[in-house]
Amino acid sequence: METDRDCRESQLNALSELTASGLVEAEDLAPLRELRRDVLTEADAEHYDYLVSEYF
């Protein structure tokens, strides 16, 4: 995952959209575990929470 705020937001949004396709597996999202939720923006945290709840 990118550390740049705008890139990270784009990546989390893209991951959320890709999961709807069924082509993403939990192991594909393993790098999400490295993110610290407390430094995410509110929008990023929403994507993060959705992905974590669905895949971990």
Side-chain angles (χ1 to χ4, degrees), residues 29-43:
L29 302 177
L32 286 177
R33 294 179 183 184
E34 298 173 17
L35 288 177
R36 288 183 37 215
R37 190 187 185 288
D38 63 321
V39 298
L40 299 176
T41 65
E42 187 175 333

Side-chain angles (χ1 to χ4, degrees), residues 16-35:
S16 293
E17 293 298 320
L18 283 171
T19 59
S21 71
L23 299 174
V24 176
E25 302 290 332
E27 60 268 9
D28 299 326
L29 302 177
L32 286 177
R33 294 179 183 184
E34 298 173 17
L35 288 177

Side-chain angles (χ1 to χ4, degrees), residues 3-31:
T3 55
D4 179 84
R5 188 178 193 172
D6 292 331
C7 290
R8 185 175 52 232
E9 182 178 355
S10 295
Q11 286 179 329
L12 286 167
N13 186 37
L15 287 172
S16 293
E17 293 298 320
L18 283 171
T19 59
S21 71
L23 299 174
V24 176
E25 302 290 332
E27 60 268 9
D28 299 326
L29 302 177

